[in-house]
Amino acid sequence: MFLGIVAGAVVLALIFVVVVFKLMWRVAEPNEALVISGSKHRTEGLEEGMGFRIVTGRGTLVLPGVQAVRKLSLDLNETELHVACVTRQGIPLKVRGVVIFKVGDDFVSIANAARRFLDQQKLMSERVHNVFAGHLRSIVGGLTVEDMIRDREKLTGQTRAACGTEMEKLGLIVDSLQIHEIEDPTGYIQNLAAPHAAAVQRDARIAQAEANRLATEAEQQSFARMAQATRDSEILQAGYQAERDTAAASARQAGPLADAAARQEVVVQETRVAELEAQRREQQLQADVRKPADAQAYEKRTLAEAERDARISAAQAKAKETELAAAAEATRVKTAAGAEAEATEARGAAAATATRATGEAEAAAARARGLAEAEATKAQGLAEAEAIKARAAALAENQEAVVAQQLAENWPEIVKAGASAFGSVDNMVVLNGADGMADLLAKALTMGGTGLGLARQLLSSMNQNGQSGSGTSSVNGVAPPAQMVPVDQSEA
């Protein structure tokens, strides 16, 4: 009986111990941390005398009534960001995103979170939203819309960096920060995209038009090939039909064609025989008629050319002889005229000497001045009269020499004028051959002699008229030698 009581007591004690242990033992789940307060404890990594103890991932004993145990969730938390911002350009935007965060796994983070959120864990998302909203507005205010659109990672990184210190003080860590959307109530982003959208639309329209053009070209080429195939088929069919028609016509005309071919061969042979006969007759005429006639014509032509060459040679020789004779005569006349001119020049020198003497007398009279002035004037008049009379006498005595000199100097022009009568003649026929040519040249040359006789007659008549008049008029009427021979070469 006693043993039963002892055993019951032991059992009761054991049950009491188990119940008490159960009440005192606390186990931390993997996603939570136990914060035990009520006595001084030293936790690794925390300052001494913190006033509470943190237990994660294991069990611990807690004295009921002495120590208080509370749990801090280590689960992920999420807060949505819906922040109205203004960019550096002054454009209002609304940034929508999400922040995924949790309490840090280290004791420092758990201690910081326990101090701030242990009794306000439901308000943790709101607090985090406020922190990120403030920093997000500040960061967006330093960026442009283009920067935010083209580099969202930059916006995210700057936001996480700006919020990192504050989140660390709160004992929180950010697992993820995502910017979902940037709302543009003013339409700025849409206007930015308009040129690109227009360019894309333009490229699309161009591509569509190019595709339509290529499709149309392909269709037209296909239609052209179809038409070409149809044409080729029709041409082949027409060719085959023509061959069939030709074969049928040939078959129908085989008999008449054979007869015509035979008759044609007969005509060809007859024609060939006639041609051979005509060739034979032509060769016979060549040998009998044409060749002898050509030989006779060649003989006559050769004799005529020889006779013509002989006449031409004789005429050229006669002309050369006549030309030489005329040149010799001209040289003789020119020599005689030169001698006469020298005599005339000597007489003129004598007259010049008399004139110079008169000048000296005048100078002497001028030096004498005074009483000799009248006599000098008279002497000067008499000297001038004597000089003029001497020049007139010399000219009267030597008129033929002067005329001969003028004719000798102008003899080539006189002969040229005489020959100018034949200048417009293209072809001239001389009946007497070389003799006729010589007579013709002699007549042309004698025109100069006729001119000489005419000049002499004119001078004789002038002398007679001068002698019949007064002495003063005859002396004054004598003209200089250059003006006394008015020779008209055309009349000569």
Side-chain angles (χ1 to χ4, degrees):
M1 182 76 184
F2 177 77
L3 292 175
I5 294 171
V6 172
V10 171
V11 171
L12 289 174
L14 290 174
I15 292 173
F16 177 77
V17 170
V18 170
V19 171
V20 172
F21 181 81
K22 184 70 174 176
L23 293 174
M24 296 175 63
W25 186 255
R26 295 288 185 271
V27 178
E29 298 291 337
N31 60 341
E32 65 181 5
L34 296 179
V35 180
I36 303 170
S37 59
S39 62
K40 291 184 178 181
H41 298 279
R42 180 178 177 82
T43 304
E44 183 179 0
L46 298 176
E47 65 274 13
E48 186 177 357
M50 198 170 90
F52 60 88
R53 180 164 55 96
I54 299 172
V55 177
T56 58
R58 61 184 176 86
T60 184
L61 289 175
V62 178
L63 296 176
V66 179
Q67 296 177 336
V69 179
R70 284 176 291 186
K71 295 181 180 180
L72 182 62
S73 176
L74 300 180
D75 291 335
L76 288 175
N77 294 283
E78 177 181 332
T79 181
E80 292 186 0
L81 298 176
H82 191 77
V83 184
C85 306
V86 179
T87 65
R88 188 176 65 184
Q89 302 160 314
I91 299 172
L93 297 175
K94 290 183 180 180
V95 180
R96 296 175 61 87
V98 62
V99 180
I100 299 176
F101 64 94
K102 66 182 291 294
V103 177
D105 295 331
D106 58 287
F107 290 153
V108 175
S109 298
I110 294 172
N112 291 336
R115 290 191 182 104
R116 292 167 176 82
F117 301 110
L118 191 59
D119 293 333
Q120 300 178 359
Q121 296 186 37
K122 294 181 179 180
L123 300 176
M124 190 180 296
S125 297
E126 183 179 351
R127 302 291 185 269
V128 171
H129 179 276
N130 293 335
V131 171
F132 274 88
H135 287 287
L136 191 59
R137 289 190 184 96
S138 177
I139 293 171
V140 170
L143 299 175
T144 62
V145 178
E146 289 81 358
D147 295 336
M148 296 173 59
I149 294 173
R150 295 169 184 169
D151 193 2
R152 290 193 181 185
E153 187 63 28
K154 179 181 179 180
L155 175 62
T156 303
Q158 291 182 359
T159 304
R160 293 185 66 172
C163 298
T165 303
E166 296 183 5
M167 292 294 287
E168 184 179 355
K169 291 180 181 180
L170 295 176
L172 304 176
I173 60 174
V174 178
D175 282 352
S176 176
L177 172 61
Q178 298 294 330
I179 303 299
H180 291 168
E181 184 180 359
I182 299 175
E183 296 180 357
D184 178 20
T186 62
Y188 183 83
I189 297 176
Q190 185 177 1
N191 292 333
L192 283 178
H196 302 286
V200 172
Q201 185 177 5
R202 177 199 63 200
D203 295 339
R205 291 179 61 186
I206 292 173
Q208 184 64 38
E210 184 67 17
N212 293 337
R213 183 184 65 80
L214 294 175
T216 303
E217 290 180 357
E219 290 178 356
Q220 296 299 325
Q221 291 176 0
S222 177
F223 292 153
R225 286 193 294 270
M226 292 173 60
Q228 184 178 2
T230 303
R231 182 201 63 186
D232 295 341
S233 176
E234 291 177 354
I235 290 173
L236 289 175
Q237 292 178 7
Y240 296 151
Q241 184 64 37
E243 291 178 359
R244 289 195 297 270
D245 295 342
T246 302
S250 299
R252 289 193 300 270
Q253 297 177 359
L257 286 175
D259 296 340
R263 289 196 300 273
Q264 182 180 3
E265 185 65 25
V266 172
V267 172
V268 167
Q269 295 297 329
E270 292 177 352
T271 302
R272 185 172 299 172
V273 171
E275 290 177 354
L276 293 175
E277 182 64 23
Q279 292 177 1
R280 186 186 66 78
R281 292 179 181 177
E282 183 179 0
Q283 292 177 359
Q284 186 67 31
L285 288 173
Q286 288 281 349
D288 296 342
V289 179
R290 184 171 297 174
K291 289 184 178 181
D294 290 343
Q296 294 177 3
Y298 178 75
E299 181 181 1
K300 292 180 180 180
R301 185 168 57 254
T302 303
L303 294 175
E305 290 177 355
E307 185 179 357
R308 180 198 63 191
D309 293 341
R311 288 197 303 271
I312 290 172
S313 298
Q316 290 177 350
K318 189 67 175 177
K320 187 66 175 177
E321 182 180 356
T322 304
E323 182 179 357
L324 293 174
E329 182 64 20
T331 302
R332 185 187 64 78
V333 172
K334 186 174 183 181
T335 303
E340 190 66 26
E342 289 178 357
T344 304
E345 184 178 359
R347 287 190 291 273
T353 302
T355 304
R356 186 168 57 254
T358 304
E360 291 175 355
E362 291 177 357
R367 285 192 301 270
R369 291 191 183 95
L371 297 175
E373 182 178 355
E375 295 180 0
T377 302
K378 183 177 179 180
Q380 182 179 0
L382 294 174
E384 291 178 356
E386 290 296 331
I388 293 171
K389 184 176 181 180
R391 286 197 296 270
L395 184 60
E397 293 176 359
N398 297 284
Q399 289 178 357
E400 292 184 0
V402 174
V403 173
Q405 181 182 0
Q406 294 292 330
L407 291 176
E409 291 177 355
N410 294 282
W411 191 258
E413 287 77 4
I414 295 172
V415 175
K416 182 178 179 181
S420 63
F422 307 104
S424 60
V425 178
D426 293 335
N427 297 313
M428 181 174 61
V429 179
V430 180
L431 298 177
N432 296 333
D435 296 335
M437 181 61 71
D439 294 339
L440 183 63
L441 292 174
K443 289 180 180 180
L445 293 174
T446 54
M447 292 182 181
T450 305
L452 180 60
L454 179 61
R456 289 175 178 174
Q457 294 177 5
L458 290 174
L459 289 174
S460 300
S461 62
M462 288 175 65
N463 290 330
Q464 293 175 2
N465 293 332
Q467 294 175 0
S468 63
S470 63
T472 304
S473 63
S474 64
V475 173
N476 296 331
V478 178
Q483 296 177 355
M484 292 179 63
V485 188
V487 180
D488 190 354
Q489 296 180 0
S490 63
E491 292 180 0

